[in-house]
Amino acid sequence: LKSEIEIGPVYHRLPERIRAHASICFMALILHRVMRSRLKAADAGYTPERALEQLQRIQHHRVRLNGGEPVAGVSTISTEQNEVLHALGIEKPAAP
């Protein structure tokens, strides 16, 4: 399972850090399983890893030229990214 969500060994001394690390690992596991189940239910044909690869390409840009007001935008959403977002039940990201 650690290979699916790419968790490596981490050594902590303090009890609160151990609990925090375990909590983060557990949340990652739950998110991975929810993604897998939603993708399967939607018959999307994507694994969680492949879906994340697609979604990592989406970029949010914020540019300020010559001290003017900042302009924000989101990269164009591809067909594959749109399929993944729809399968996961997530709205398309939009500029504010």
Side-chain angles (χ1 to χ4, degrees), residues 33-69:
R33 290 196 176 175
V34 167
M35 282 183 70
R36 184 174 60 199
S37 118
R38 285 187 181 183
L39 291 167
K40 186 176 180 180
D43 198 27
Y46 290 96
T47 63
E49 294 81 12
R50 189 160 168 244
L52 287 173
E53 285 175 9
Q54 288 294 325
L55 297 180
Q56 285 177 339
R57 296 180 184 157
I58 299 173
Q59 297 179 359
H60 177 264
H61 304 279
R62 185 174 175 168
V63 179
R64 181 185 306 238
L65 298 174
N66 299 325
E69 289 294 316

